[in-house]
């Protein structure tokens, strides 16, 4: 905890000093800040992160640079969606998650897309749209399998098991829980 606090303080200092530097450096700093700050502070960093990465996408002429900033923009949108979701603003979080999903789909960012699909599944589950939630969790399972991310694949399978359990589809729930447990055991 102390080490993370020192890291956070150092990054805040570097961020404040680097605002006039290269956009890619500032995006990397903001990305890290949104990941390690208190959940209540996410918007402090994600809003300027969205603005900066969005402007940088527009300014970029090289395809690789544009992809770099698109990845950052989708990450910033996801982080903002996460904050809103945790504060009960489900409909607003969907706007940010859907924007991130759209960017990741068009930039072929399978890792980011898997994360967004899982986030969208959570929100739709909380909104009571079970069919859509299952669809997004299935996408997350498939994409995580493609990218070799067994940990997130296991979580998505577990989420599907939870939904099936609440729907009293106990055989399906058990199947998803078992698949999830097998993956978690492989990771150990």
């Amino acid at each position: 905890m102390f080490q993370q606090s020192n890291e956070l303080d150092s990054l805040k200092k570097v961020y404040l000093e680097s605002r006039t530097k290269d956009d890619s450096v500032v995006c990397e700093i903001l990305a890290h800040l949104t990941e390690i700050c208190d959940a209540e502070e996410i918007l402090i960093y994600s809003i300027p992160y969205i603005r900066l990465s969005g402007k940088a996408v527009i300014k970029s002429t090289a395809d690789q640079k544009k992809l770099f900033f698109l990845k950052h923009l989708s990450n910033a949108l996801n982080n903002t969606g996460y904050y809103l979701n945790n504060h009960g603003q489900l409909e607003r979080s969907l706007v940010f998650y859907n924007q991130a999903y759209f960017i990741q789909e068009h930039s072929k960012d399978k890792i980011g897309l898997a994360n967004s699909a899982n986030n969208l599944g959570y929100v739709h589950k909380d909104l009571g749209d079970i069919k859509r939630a299952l669809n997004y969790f299935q996408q997350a399972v498939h994409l995580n399998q493609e990218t070799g991310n067994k940990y997130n694949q296991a979580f998505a399978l577990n989420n599907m098991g939870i939904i099936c359990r609440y729907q009293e589809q106990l055989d399906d729930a058990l199947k998803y829980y078992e698949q999830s447990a097998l993956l978690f055991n492989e990771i150990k």
Side-chain angles (χ1 to χ4, degrees):
M1 184 70 171
F2 180 71
Q3 181 180 358
Q4 187 171 349
S5 177
N6 283 342
E7 183 180 8
L8 184 61
D9 291 340
S10 296
L11 276 171
K12 286 178 182 178
K13 184 177 182 218
V14 170
Y15 168 62
L16 292 172
E17 294 170 355
S18 68
R19 286 188 183 182
T20 59
K21 294 193 178 177
D22 186 298
D23 289 346
S24 59
V25 172
V26 180
C27 276
E28 291 289 340
I29 293 167
L30 287 169
H32 203 55
L33 281 168
T34 60
E35 297 297 326
I36 67 169
C37 70
D38 275 348
E40 295 302 313
E41 294 181 323
I42 288 174
L43 288 184
I44 294 170
Y45 305 110
S46 69
I47 298 302
Y49 188 20
I50 289 170
R51 286 187 191 123
L52 177 65
S53 55
K55 286 178 186 176
V57 166
I58 294 167
K59 287 190 318 189
S60 296
T61 55
D63 287 343
Q64 283 302 100
K65 201 70 161 167
K66 191 175 286 287
L67 280 175
F68 172 84
F69 287 118
L70 280 170
K71 191 170 195 167
H72 275 287
L73 178 57
S74 64
N75 185 45
L77 291 164
N78 252 330
N79 288 337
T80 304
Y82 172 81
Y83 174 88
L84 294 168
N85 186 31
N86 282 347
H87 285 80
Q89 298 179 40
L90 302 180
E91 295 292 340
R92 284 188 67 204
S93 72
L94 275 180
V95 171
F96 287 89
Y97 285 150
N98 278 317
Q99 289 174 354
Y101 184 90
F102 178 81
I103 291 168
Q104 292 154 341
E105 192 171 45
H106 289 284
S107 61
K108 297 177 178 36
D109 175 9
K110 288 184 180 183
I111 293 170
L113 193 57
N115 186 38
S116 289
N118 201 49
N119 291 340
L120 285 162
Y122 274 119
V123 176
H124 284 291
K125 176 186 74 66
D126 290 345
L127 288 171
D129 190 346
I130 301 305
K131 185 176 179 181
R132 192 170 277 167
L134 277 172
N135 181 46
Y136 280 116
F137 288 139
Q138 286 171 336
Q139 285 181 39
V141 168
H142 177 71
L143 289 161
N144 282 309
Q145 186 175 23
E146 279 185 26
T147 61
N149 189 332
K150 290 182 181 183
Y151 185 79
N152 285 345
Q153 182 184 356
F155 265 110
L157 285 163
N158 190 66
N159 292 336
M160 292 173 70
I162 290 169
I163 287 177
C164 289
R165 188 183 75 209
Y166 287 128
Q167 296 293 306
E168 296 184 14
Q169 299 169 349
L170 300 181
D171 289 339
D172 287 339
L174 183 60
K175 176 182 75 172
Y176 292 127
Y177 287 143
E178 287 173 344
Q179 290 174 3
S180 176
L182 283 172
L183 285 171
F184 278 126
N185 284 333
E186 284 179 26
I187 296 167
K188 287 184 182 179

